[in-house]
Amino acid sequence: MIKVMFVCLGNICRSPMAEFFLKDLVRKQGLESEFYIESSATSYEEVGNDVHYGTVRKLNSVGIPVEHREAKRLSKSDYDKFDYILGMEESNIRNILRIVGQDNDNKVYRLLDFSDNPRDIADPWYTGNFDKTYEDILEGCKAFLEKVIS
Ligand code: 4NP
């Protein structure tokens, strides 16, 4: 089983979008039993809050189910529990390393570093552009899945 933790700043916009997108993708590819997928935040800002309406609306518009969930913060012990800890942007990576310590097992990556065009995924909390976030997350998750199953 491959255990994946997506991480962003608040855990209400990008990382839950990536969590539900990848869960749907592995389900469609018959790989559901091979993966365990979660998401979390580097900050405490939104802990306990549900997924942002912009993420819910975007995922629902493309037929991807979204379950009720409560934002949670990444913990140091998550480093041992997961195989991949995937941040959305460079600042997430710095904050992830502050929480978990050194990445001795090479588990921490920026999601779009798996794509042909490595870059940050902008925060829709600030941009308001959930369509762009979705396109980036789709690109990153597809590239990540290809890499891990190859
Ligand atoms: P996310 O967006 O990191 O994609 O979940 C944010 C949501 C909330 C906040 C920051 C980013 N906030 O500061 O409350």
Side-chain angles (χ1 to χ4, degrees):
M1 165 135 351
I2 298 167
K3 296 179 187 144
V4 183
M5 173 68 96
F6 289 107
V7 182
C8 62
L9 179 58
N11 191 216
I12 59 168
C13 300
R14 291 166 296 176
S15 60
M17 188 184 278
E19 173 186 337
F20 291 120
F21 182 85
L22 189 63
K23 281 178 173 171
D24 185 67
L25 189 62
V26 299
R27 199 181 300 125
K28 283 173 176 156
Q29 298 199 11
L31 296 169
E32 199 174 359
S33 61
E34 309 288 329
F35 284 84
Y36 177 76
I37 304 162
E38 274 192 28
S39 66
S40 61
T42 59
S43 80
Y44 291 100
E45 290 293 331
E46 300 285 346
V47 167
N49 290 341
D50 208 336
V51 183
H52 191 286
Y53 180 64
T55 286
V56 175
R57 189 170 48 183
K58 181 65 201 179
L59 290 175
N60 285 342
S61 78
V62 293
I64 295 176
V66 179
E67 294 151 28
H68 164 78
R69 66 182 298 283
E70 293 184 358
K72 62 176 184 221
R73 188 176 182 263
L74 178 72
S75 69
K76 189 171 169 60
S77 59
D78 287 327
Y79 189 78
D80 294 326
K81 288 187 204 149
F82 288 85
D83 302 304
Y84 290 95
I85 299 177
L86 304 178
M88 300 293 136
E89 59 184 319
E90 207 52 56
S91 63
N92 298 152
I93 304 299
R94 284 196 299 276
N95 289 325
I96 290 167
L97 294 176
R98 261 183 218 127
I99 294 165
V100 304
Q102 282 190 324
D103 182 20
N104 292 324
D105 300 327
N106 295 319
K107 296 179 173 185
V108 179
Y109 299 91
R110 195 173 55 161
L111 180 58
L112 279 171
D113 284 343
F114 292 94
S115 82
D116 293 334
N117 181 13
R119 62 194 189 276
D120 285 348
I121 297 177
D123 194 339
W125 173 260
Y126 300 108
T127 67
N129 192 341
F130 286 84
D131 294 333
K132 173 75 175 124
T133 304
Y134 178 77
E135 293 307 320
D136 287 349
I137 280 172
L138 179 151
E139 181 182 335
C141 286
K142 285 188 168 174
F144 169 72
L145 187 58
E146 268 179 35
K147 165 94 190 336
V148 296
I149 63 178
S150 68

